[in-house]
Amino acid sequence: MAMKPLPQLQWTLVRRLSRLLLALLVVGAIVVGGLLYWKNRLDTELARRGQQLAQIQELAARMAPRRKPPLPALSPAAAQQLGRQMALLNRDWTRLSGLLAPHDHAVRLLGMDVDPATGAVRISGRVDSATVANTYAQALSKRADVLRQVRLLGLERHADGVRFEIGAQWID
């Protein structure tokens, strides 16, 4: 048996598309080159912004106040003592001033010394007579809900009147 010869194929289609294919390849290369250029620009911009952000964060870290180390924990006794002292300091000073203000115009207060830690109150003033000072001290002693141990500590006669001093214990 004899073999038949293979048919001759003509590659006309390929020859006709070769210019079109070449044009597509050139356009594709230009598009890929443009995309690579654009990606390179974006990467450069991203790196520049990253450096700016790092500089800003470094500046913010330098300008931020430094944290102080935490204070050591207080012992229970120290915490209790601190609580008592805060309670003594946070007393109702307006109420005390209103209580000590004399209702009689014959009594003129000259000074008031209060020790918030102990609650001791020392009042000095001037009156026309010792009787008025005694009456004022008795009026204060009747305020047992706020003051206790009210005592007339001293009376001194001066040219402008009688000066007195009263001591008391302030309860809040």
Side-chain angles (χ1 to χ4, degrees), residues 3 10 12 32 35 52 58 62-63 71 74 89-90 96 103 147 151 159 161:
M3 284 186 104
Q10 293 187 0
T12 56
V32 168
L35 289 174
Q52 286 177 344
E58 180 183 331
R62 276 189 274 152
M63 294 188 72
L71 296 174
L74 294 175
L89 291 174
N90 289 327
L96 178 66
H103 300 293
L147 294 174
R151 286 181 239 146

Side-chain angles (χ1 to χ4, degrees), residues 7-84:
Q8 287 276 343
L9 299 174
Q10 293 187 0
W11 297 97
T12 56
L13 184 63
V14 173
R15 277 187 225 140
R16 281 187 202 153
L17 292 178
S18 65
R19 286 186 185 157
L20 181 60
L21 187 61
L22 183 61
L24 284 174
L25 286 173
V26 169
V27 168
I30 291 173
V31 169
V32 168
L35 289 174
L36 287 174
Y37 173 76
W38 187 255
K39 180 187 179 300
N40 188 21
R41 277 190 61 197
L42 288 176
D43 287 345
T44 304
E45 182 67 18
L46 182 64
R48 187 177 66 81
R49 295 284 174 114
Q51 288 175 347
Q52 286 177 344
L53 181 63
Q55 289 173 350
I56 290 171
Q57 287 175 339
E58 180 183 331
L59 182 63
R62 276 189 274 152
M63 294 188 72
R66 298 184 189 261
R67 290 188 178 179
K68 294 180 181 177
L71 296 174
L74 294 175
S75 69
Q80 185 180 15
Q81 177 66 22
L82 182 63
R84 281 195 305 259

Side-chain angles (χ1 to χ4, degrees), residues 102-117:
H103 300 293
D104 185 6
H105 294 292
V107 179
R108 289 174 293 284
L109 294 183
L110 300 176
M112 178 174 74
D113 183 28
V114 180
D115 184 355

Side-chain angles (χ1 to χ4, degrees), residues 134-145:
N134 282 323
T135 306
Y136 176 64
Q138 286 176 352
L140 290 180
S141 67
K142 290 180 183 175
R143 298 299 311 256
D145 57 328

